[in-house]
Amino acid sequence: MRTVAIRADASYDIGTGHVMRCLALAEGLRNSGSKPIFLSRNLPGNISNKVRESGFQLIELPPPPDSSARLSRRKNSTVADLLGVSWEQDVCDCQAALAGVDVDAYCVDHYALDRRWEEKMGRDRSFMIVLDDLADRPHQCHLLLDANLGRKKEDYVSLVDNGTSLLIGPGYALLRPEFAMWRKRSKERRIDGELNSVVVSMGGADKANVTGRIISAFADMNFGPEFKLTVILGQSSTCVKQVRKMLENLDFQSSLKVNVSDMAATMSENDLAIGGAGSTAWERCCLALPSLLVVMADNQRAGAEALADVGAGILLGYDADFEAEFAAAITKMQIRDNLRLMSTAAASITDGKGVERVCGIIASMNA
């Protein structure tokens, strides 16, 4: 396999997880001798600079006519609206962007695209890879990956053609190599099981500023001056100034990191993480890092519940009872045995070698 065209978007409404996991896969493909090219639409809150800074070519698709309007502010918006244009227009834009490029394979990671897009883009019989989490629409591809815990191959049987290779479960989670590198050290520091430090990372965009509500909840609790809170915000965050001011008013140690380049190291230095239930959940599991899971999107709920069921995290509802649930969860995590047990459960979910496995399978299928 030589040139791989990767179709994924990031925005305030979509978040950054799709592009970030595609970056992890792209790094593995590049190390295997392929040339990944990203196709991303110019949407508010994109992280195209992150892709380019990682050394990959990115072709920016034209912004939609109403790209200044956030979906979160519209009524009756649907998953299809995340694309910004019709799927037909997206095909036209992608084909125009790739004119003259000999594409050997496509990888698509977008909830608004399905079999129709894949048929049009793969009509030259190029190898087609789909990354999905929902199992809610048909696909035409050679390989489909869904890393959700609790997902079964049977969920996709009626949605793909016979012969499609299905890579299911967090063993195939697409994590950057730094997480596997930090796994051993991170596991070793969990032996004591004390809660002295917490890291909060609600994703690259955090459009609802969940981070701010979490900081407020911490402020209402009684921690000694030795306690440390680390907050991580992505480059797409719009609440940096507000969060920084909130942290300055806390009675214990705190720090704010924006657009971090050493995420695995930062996470591994903490005793507990608070975050979403998307791709970052697998990062925390790889590091054996206990978690409080805040579900901000319906598509994350099943995965969060599966993690909670196996003891790898505590699920928090983001509603009127959030503060009470949060305080109860923190109190529970101050018990040593609880932290140790959750760390062990999390570590059993994934070892961080999903990219290596997936790239090996892709190579064997194209041998």
Side-chain angles (χ1 to χ4, degrees):
M1 187 181 299
R2 296 179 295 278
T3 301
V4 183
I6 299 177
R7 178 71 184 93
D9 286 335
S11 72
Y12 291 124
D13 293 297
I14 296 172
T16 62
H18 297 278
V19 171
M20 291 303 295
R21 66 183 178 187
C22 283
L23 270 174
L25 177 60
E27 185 67 39
L29 291 171
R30 181 167 60 184
N31 291 339
S32 300
S34 294
K35 178 186 177 181
I37 299 176
F38 280 78
L39 299 171
S40 294
R41 194 163 296 282
N42 184 1
L43 299 171
N46 69 72
I47 57 170
S48 296
N49 286 341
K50 176 75 172 178
V51 176
R52 295 188 177 104
E53 289 169 1
S54 299
F56 295 104
Q57 179 182 353
L58 182 143
I59 302 175
E60 205 163 62
L61 304 179
D66 57 348
S67 62
S68 61
R70 295 267 298 276
L71 288 180
S72 55
R73 296 170 185 158
R74 304 180 200 170
K75 294 181 178 179
N76 302 319
S77 62
T78 66
V79 170
D81 294 324
L82 293 172
L83 198 59
V85 298
S86 67
W87 70 268
E88 295 96 335
Q89 184 61 52
D90 198 84
V91 168
C92 291
D93 291 342
C94 289
Q95 290 176 339
L98 293 170
V101 179
D102 186 12
V103 177
D104 300 287
Y106 294 92
C107 175
V108 55
D109 185 353
H110 209 301
Y111 294 157
L113 298 176
D114 57 22
R115 184 184 186 96
R116 297 168 298 177
W117 187 96
E118 294 147 13
E119 285 178 341
K120 291 291 185 180
M121 293 302 299
R123 61 185 178 184
D124 58 354
R125 298 186 182 278
S126 297
F127 192 77
M128 182 68 68
I129 304 165
V130 170
L131 308 184
D132 193 23
D133 308 292
L134 306 181
D136 66 344
R137 61 203 190 282
H139 294 287
Q140 179 171 294
C141 55
H142 299 86
L143 184 151
L144 185 145
L145 188 158
D146 185 330
N148 275 324
L149 181 65
R151 178 70 72 206
K152 300 177 181 178
K153 289 186 176 182
E154 289 77 13
D155 296 334
Y156 281 101
V157 168
S158 64
L159 300 176
V160 298
D161 296 334
N162 291 333
T164 299
S165 294
L166 298 174
L167 306 185
I168 306 297
Y172 297 108
L174 301 175
L175 306 184
R176 301 187 300 281
E178 64 188 89
F179 290 95
M181 291 172 56
W182 278 89
R183 175 176 167 85
K184 183 175 183 294
R185 180 172 175 177
S186 183
K187 289 174 66 176
E188 289 174 348
R189 77 175 305 279
R190 318 231 166 262
I191 296 174
D192 290 339
E194 291 187 358
L195 181 60
N196 295 314
S197 59
V198 176
V199 59
V200 177
S201 179
M202 291 308 305
D206 189 13
K207 63 182 180 180
N209 192 15
V210 181
T211 301
R213 192 171 179 184
I214 292 171
I215 296 173
S216 293
F218 268 113
D220 292 335
M221 300 186 70
N222 185 24
F223 290 100
E226 72 284 353
F227 181 79
K228 184 175 181 179
L229 177 66
T230 300
V231 173
I232 298 174
L233 295 177
Q235 68 179 52
S236 299
S237 175
T238 60
C239 55
V240 175
K241 290 183 179 179
Q242 181 180 352
V243 166
R244 180 174 286 115
K245 186 174 182 179
M246 295 178 73
L247 290 176
E248 291 173 351
N249 294 325
L250 294 176
D251 295 328
F252 46 82
Q253 300 177 62
S254 65
S255 64
L256 172 62
K257 297 188 175 186
V258 181
N259 194 27
V260 300
S261 58
D262 58 345
M263 181 68 82
T266 300
M267 292 173 66
S268 68
E269 293 168 355
N270 287 272
D271 303 315
L272 177 70
I274 303 173
S279 299
T280 56
W282 313 128
E283 297 173 353
R284 299 191 294 268
C285 286
C286 176
L287 297 173
L289 183 58
S291 300
L292 304 188
L293 304 163
V294 184
V295 176
M296 293 302 300
D298 289 340
N299 64 284
Q300 294 182 356
R301 183 165 297 280
E305 290 175 345
L307 284 168
D309 287 344
V310 298
I314 295 178
L315 180 59
L316 300 178
Y318 193 67
D319 50 29
D321 297 325
F322 174 77
E323 282 73 16
E325 291 184 17
F326 179 86
I330 291 293
T331 299
K332 184 176 182 179
M333 289 297 95
Q334 289 175 317
I335 301 173
R336 284 191 176 187
D337 285 347
N338 288 340
L339 268 179
R340 280 198 294 261
L341 288 171
M342 187 177 290
S343 174
T344 300
S348 69
I349 301 299
T350 184
D351 59 4
K353 297 182 180 179
V355 169
E356 180 181 333
R357 294 187 182 96
V358 172
C359 287
I361 292 170
I362 291 173
S364 66
M365 293 178 69
N366 286 272

